Structure formats: structure tokens, C-alpha cells
């Protein structure tokens, strides 16, 4: 994600904004308290290719139907050929933690069903999705894969397993684990971040996603798409995490490609952080995603002196950068972009307000009513639609009333800048925008408009700042 928005806001157009990376969310996998449900196998739906690069690249062609009353039941199973977990309860905790990622972004109802004697026993109990492991067949077949996964439709060899669609089988002898015993194997799965990320990757496939490197007869791999340049960046897809070492520093959340694919299949989450939420990312030290369904929300970087580059979530970014087939507010950025200490940030769902610290920050607003409070430093703020209140803070700040770049057009249609400093700050438009025209509003303050719809008031300023050299 990290180069996409940057390409849209080029320095040569007087602008730059950070990358989008993509999880910080209060939502869990099973939601709140529910009445006890009887497990039953979930119906599988198939989908035809869409001819959209991103959606076809990350979907397998099938998924499960689910609702609150008919969730997708999942569980942990001992092996099909007698393999036994030594500490299944601890492995099951990891599985539940992994599965809690999916409802943070999509309207998918998942219900943990427990631990089963075998994959067939799980299927007989009405469990559609399971994680198990194999210590026999894959080794006999010479498999060097770390795991084998079966999409919901399960057209592959079923190895004698009933309802194998939706199953993930970890290969005990996979080269990444290097386990000398069952205890070693389970310690790796329960204590290692890369192992957890690999389980997340595998379980995403059980729900209908596919890795971007995997090509089918109808669906491309990433090298065949416009997204090929991002094939090694795990913030775009969890499937990009290297599977040859357990020592990598990786995140344990889905990437933006995965999230958009999941939302295409199941719809966007509607009940994640629905109040007026406040997120303080001043001390963010790792790849972070905020998922938020509703409310008037604020993200703060107020206590940091690091440079913050951030774009508030917007449909126009989703459709321009990724896919027009998913209506999801996507945004994000980075702290200390382009440096060895870069920390990537992502937004899923609408975020209205931003507060920054004392760095030289870049903020892109969105179509909601925004309150932007930039602190000290020389900041760039790209204004847009919505009734926006803007504070630039101290420093030489640049306010962009209209940005035109490629298929993106940001227009400040109802903006009040509260603390514009004459001779220090600037109000401008990018190349290709209409010229600003000065007048005064009913309060006598400087008002700037153009024929594209710009309407910006400089509160407390009466003269024409455009006449000041």
C-alpha cells in the first residue's frame, strides 16, 4: 500500500502524502454474547471472475454464506491419520485470535465450535472450517509446502477427508517449522509471530481468499496485474510474508488487498468501534490498522515530533488506487515516511478528525466534516469537501484549496481556517485547478472561491493574502 497514494500526490505537483499500509480494533471474532447455536455446515457460493485485477487476484471463486443466526462454524481438529495435538487448548487460542481478524473488516459471522477428534468428526458435527495438521501423507508424497489449504469449493484431492473444503492442514514436516518434536511444533505455532501470520494466511484461504502468488485457470497471480510492484510488501497481503524463515519482523493482520477481497465477498463490517472513538498513535512503533464502522472519530499524533503523512479514508482513494467494485473507505499513511524508522498506518472505515504533533506533517482530508489540528512544524494540508475546521498550528503551513492529479480532485467547498498567519502560511491550488478569487464573507473575513466550487474562509484575516509577495 505504501507507494499508491504517494504516486497520486507527487512532489512535482507541490504535494506529497504518505503511503497506505495496513490492525488496531476493539472487535473480536465472535462478537458479543449470543444464544447457543447448533453447528451446521455453511452453504458455499461460487462467484465468476470479475475482470477486475485486484478482486480476481485475491479471491478463489467461492465463499461461505453467513449471518448472525447462521454463522460459519470453525474449530481445531486432531489429524486425519491419528496425529494428536499435545496441547490443543493453546493452539486453539491462537486459532481463535487469528479468526478474530476477519470480522474487524468484513460482515462475516464466525463461531468457534471447539476441538474435534479428527477433521471428519468436525464435519460430522457441522463445522465448515477447521485447522488440523498432517504428519504422514504430505511427507510420503514429498511435499515441501508448509501447509495445504482447501478453498470452500474444494475441487482438489480430498485425501479421504469428508467436506475438505474450508480446511487448513499444517505440514508438520514443512521446512519452515524445523520442529524436532510435537512440543517444538506447537511452541512455534503458539509463540512465533511469523507462524501466526502464516496461519492467518491459510485461514483466509479457507474463507474464500487466495494468495496473490497463486494463479488459477481463471484468476491471475500478482505478476500479471497492475499491482506487481507490491508483490514483496506484506502490508498489501499477508500472503507476501516470506515462508522460509521464522525470524522476520512481520505484522499479524491482513493487508489492504486481502481486506478488499474479504469485503467484496462478505460486505463491510458494520459494528466495529461504532461510537465516537479516539485513537492515540503518537507512540506507534509497528504497522497498525484502525478499523472503524461509525461515529465521529479522531486519530491523534499530538505527542510525537516525528513527521506524519496521512490521508483520511475516502471512497475515491479506494476506487482510484485499488478497485471500483468495493465501496469501502480506505486511507492511511506513515510516520517518518521514507526513513529507516518508517511506521505504516492504515484506516478502514471513515475517520473524520486528525491531530498531529510538532513534525512537518502532510494531511489529506476527506468528504466528511473534518476537524484538523496540526501542531508546530511546516505542514501541508490538502482540503476537500465537507464542513471542515482547520488549525495549521505554528510554522509555515500550506493549505491546498484544490488539488487536481490524475483521476483525483480535492475541492475545499466549505472550509474555515482558524489560524492563518499572513506572510507565513500560504493558500494555493495545484496545476490544472481554477484560479482563486478573493472577496469577503458576511463577517468581513477573507473568502476565497473559484469556479470549481472552492469556498475557503480565513477567519480573522481581512486583506487579500494572495497580493502579499
Amino acid at each position: 500500500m505504501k507507494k499508491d497514494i504517494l504516486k497520486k500526490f507527487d512532489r512535482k505537483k507541490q504535494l506529497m502524502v504518505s503511503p497506505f499500509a495496513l490492525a488496531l480494533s476493539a472487535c473480536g471474532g465472535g462478537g458479543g454474547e449470543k444464544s447457543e447455536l447448533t453447528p451446521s455446515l455453511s452453504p458455499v457460493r461460487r462467484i465468476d471472475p470479475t475482470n477486475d485485477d485486484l478482486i480476481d487476484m485475491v479471491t478463489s471463486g467461492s465463499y461461505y454464506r453467513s449471518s448472525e443466526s447462521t454463522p460459519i462454524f470453525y474449530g481445531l481438529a486432531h489429524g486425519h491419520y491419528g496425529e494428536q495435538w499435545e496441547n490443543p487448548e493453546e493452539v486453539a487460542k491462537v486459532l481463535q485470535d487469528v479468526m478474530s481478524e476477519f470480522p474487524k473488516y468484513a460482515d462475516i459471522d464466525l463461531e468457534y465450535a471447539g476441538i474435534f477428534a479428527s477433521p471428519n468428526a468436525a464435519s460430522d458435527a457441522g463445522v465448515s472450517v477447521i485447522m488440523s495438521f498432517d504428519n504422514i501423507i504430505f511427507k510420503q508424497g514429498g511435499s515441501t509446502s508448509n501447509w495445504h489449504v482447501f478453498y470452500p469449493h474444494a475441487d482438489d484431492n480430498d485425501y479421504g477427508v469428508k467436506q475438505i473444503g474450508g480446511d487448513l492442514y499444517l505440514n508438520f514436516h514443512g521446512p519452515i517449522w524445523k520442529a524436532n518434536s510435537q512440543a517444538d511444533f506447537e511452541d512455534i505455532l503458539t509463540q512465533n509471530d511469523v507462524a501466526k501470520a502464516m496461519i492467518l494466511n491459510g485461514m483466509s484461504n479457507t474463507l474464500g481468499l487466495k494468495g496473490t502468488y497463486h494463479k488459477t485457470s481463471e484468476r491471475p497471480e500478482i505478476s500479471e496485474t497492475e499491482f506487481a510492484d507490491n508483490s514483496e510488501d506484506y502490508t498489501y497481503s499477508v500472503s507476501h510474508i516470506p515462508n522460509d524463515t521464522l525470524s522476520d519482523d512481520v505484522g499479524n493482520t491482513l493487508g489492504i488487498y486481502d481486506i478488499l477481497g474479504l469485503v467484496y465477498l462478505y460486505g463491510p463490517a458494520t459494528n466495529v468501534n461504532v461510537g465516537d472513538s479516539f485513537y492515540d498513535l503518537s507512540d506507534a512503533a509497528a504497522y497498525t490498522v484502525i478499523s472503524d464502522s461509525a461515529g465521529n472519530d479522531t486519530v491523534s499524533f499530538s505527542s510525537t515530533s516525528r513527521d506524519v503523512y496521512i490521508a483520511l479514508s475516502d471512497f475515491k482513494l479506494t476506487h482510484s488506487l485499488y478497485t471500483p467494485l468495493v465501496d469501502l473507505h480506505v486511507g492511511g499513511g506513515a510516520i517518518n515516511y521514507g526513513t529507516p524508522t518508517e511506521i505504516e498506518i492504515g484506516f478502514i472505515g471513515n475517520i473524520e478528525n486528525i491531530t498531529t504533533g510538532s513534525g512537518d506533517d502532510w494531511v489529506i482530508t476527506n468528504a466528511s466534516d473534518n476537524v484538523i489540528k496540526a501542531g508546530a512544524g511546516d505542514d501541508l494540508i490538502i482540503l476537500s469537501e465537507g464542513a471542515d475546521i482547520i488549525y495549521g498550528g505554528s510554522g509555515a503551513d500550506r493549505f491546498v484549496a484544490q488539488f487536481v492529479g490524475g483521476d483525483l480532485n480535492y475541492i475545499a467547498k466549505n472550509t474555515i481556517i482558524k489560524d492563518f498567519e499572513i506572510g507565513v502560511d500560504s493558500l494555493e491550488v495545484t496545476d490544472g485547478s481554477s484560479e482563486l478569487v478573493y472577496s469577503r464573507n458576511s463577517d468581513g473575513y477573507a473568502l476565497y472561491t473559484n469556479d470549481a466550487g472552492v469556498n475557503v474562509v480565513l477567519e480573522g484575516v481581512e486583506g487579500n493574502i494572495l497580493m502579499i509577495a
Side-chain angles (χ1 to χ4, degrees):
M1 308 162 227
K2 63 189 196 175
K3 297 180 284 294
D4 300 330
I5 293 175
L6 178 58
K7 291 177 182 177
K8 292 289 183 179
F9 301 92
D10 192 273
R11 287 183 184 274
K12 294 180 180 179
K13 298 182 184 292
Q14 296 98 22
L15 303 176
M16 187 189 84
V17 75
S18 77
F20 184 113
L22 282 169
L24 183 66
S25 170
C27 175
E33 300 235 352
K34 297 181 180 179
S35 58
E36 188 171 338
L37 300 171
T38 301
S40 61
L41 295 173
S42 298
V44 175
R45 298 192 68 174
R46 288 182 176 269
I47 54 170
D48 293 327
T50 64
N51 293 318
D52 178 88
D53 266 7
L54 188 139
I55 297 303
D56 290 345
M57 177 181 72
V58 297
T59 57
S60 67
S62 65
Y63 67 103
Y64 293 107
R65 297 185 66 177
S66 75
S67 69
E68 188 173 357
S69 60
T70 57
I72 303 166
F73 288 92
Y74 73 93
L76 183 74
H78 295 286
H80 184 63
Y81 300 97
E83 302 94 334
Q84 294 287 306
W85 297 105
E86 290 186 356
N87 196 347
E89 290 79 12
E90 291 303 309
V91 179
K93 288 179 183 177
V94 173
L95 175 60
Q96 291 175 78
D97 189 28
V98 164
M99 297 301 281
S100 74
E101 285 295 305
F102 303 109
K104 290 179 181 179
Y105 311 110
D107 187 19
I108 182 172
D109 291 274
L110 300 170
E111 188 80 12
Y112 177 64
I115 300 167
F116 297 88
S118 71
N120 282 354
S123 295
D124 289 341
V127 177
S128 296
V129 173
I130 66 104
M131 184 176 83
S132 185
F133 77 104
D134 179 86
N135 195 4
I136 300 172
I137 295 299
F138 297 151
K139 181 180 181 181
Q140 290 178 353
S143 172
T144 58
S145 296
N146 293 309
W147 43 265
H148 292 256
V149 67
F150 298 87
Y151 303 130
H153 58 263
D155 285 337
D156 303 283
N157 178 7
D158 64 9
Y159 296 95
V161 178
K162 294 187 294 185
Q163 303 289 341
I164 200 170
D167 291 0
L168 171 67
Y169 296 87
L170 303 176
N171 182 5
F172 178 89
H173 300 285
I176 196 171
W177 314 120
K178 298 180 174 63
N180 295 316
S181 65
Q182 183 68 27
D184 285 347
F185 182 54
E186 294 183 25
D187 283 346
I188 292 167
L189 297 181
T190 57
Q191 299 176 23
N192 184 273
D193 284 344
V194 177
K196 181 180 176 182
M198 293 184 67
I199 293 172
L200 177 63
N201 184 14
M203 296 310 294
S204 74
N205 288 191
T206 69
L207 299 175
L209 297 183
K210 78 172 183 67
T212 68
Y213 296 130
H214 181 57
K215 179 180 179 178
T216 72
S217 59
E218 297 181 321
R219 298 171 189 273
E221 61 180 315
I222 192 169
S223 65
E224 301 172 327
T225 73
E226 61 182 288
F227 307 106
D229 288 347
N230 302 323
S231 63
E232 295 183 1
D233 190 332
Y234 71 82
T235 63
Y236 288 93
S237 175
V238 69
S239 66
H240 296 173
I241 292 175
N243 59 7
D244 56 357
T245 176
L246 291 170
S247 61
D248 280 353
D249 181 16
V250 300
N252 285 321
T253 187
L254 300 173
I256 182 58
Y257 298 163
D258 309 318
I259 292 170
L260 289 169
L262 192 71
V263 171
Y264 178 78
L265 296 177
Y266 294 97
T270 59
N271 61 351
V272 178
N273 298 326
V274 294
D276 295 344
S277 303
F278 180 85
Y279 305 94
D280 190 349
L281 301 187
S282 297
D283 298 324
Y287 164 55
T288 301
V289 178
I290 290 172
S291 180
D292 194 288
S293 297
N296 191 283
D297 310 303
T298 300
V299 175
S300 176
F301 302 89
S302 61
S303 300
T304 187
S305 60
R306 298 176 291 177
D307 298 340
V308 174
Y309 302 80
I310 211 75
L312 288 175
S313 313
D314 206 317
F315 284 150
K316 68 176 70 176
L317 292 176
T318 310
H319 295 165
S320 174
L321 301 175
Y322 303 114
T323 174
L325 300 185
V326 178
D327 287 331
L328 181 70
H329 290 95
V330 168
I335 301 170
N336 282 350
Y337 171 70
T339 74
T341 58
E342 176 179 310
I343 303 297
E344 299 190 31
I345 307 295
F347 300 150
I348 298 296
N350 207 10
I351 302 292
E352 290 78 14
N353 313 309
I354 290 286
T355 301
T356 64
S358 58
D360 296 335
D361 305 314
W362 302 66
V363 178
I364 299 175
T365 61
N366 63 16
S368 298
D369 296 343
N370 305 138
V371 176
I372 307 299
K373 297 180 180 179
D378 300 337
D379 306 315
L380 171 71
I381 302 175
I382 301 172
L383 309 171
S384 65
E385 303 82 3
D388 297 339
I389 304 297
I390 309 295
Y391 297 87
S394 61
D397 303 316
R398 296 166 57 200
F399 303 94
V400 181
Q402 184 180 4
F403 168 81
V404 177
D407 57 353
L408 291 177
N409 192 356
Y410 285 78
I411 302 173
K413 293 189 174 182
N414 188 9
T415 297
I416 300 175
I417 299 175
K418 291 284 195 175
D419 59 353
F420 190 93
E421 289 190 75
I422 299 174
V424 178
D425 298 335
S426 65
L427 181 69
E428 57 194 73
V429 296
T430 61
D431 293 342
S433 302
S434 301
E435 183 178 345
L436 295 176
V437 177
Y438 163 77
S439 62
R440 290 191 189 183
N441 71 357
S442 59
D443 295 320
Y445 297 142
L447 169 65
Y448 292 90
T449 58
N450 71 4
D451 57 15
V454 165
N455 190 299
V456 177
V457 173
L458 307 185
E459 190 172 280
V461 175
E462 297 179 353
N464 184 2
I465 57 96
L466 299 181
M467 300 296 293
I468 300 174

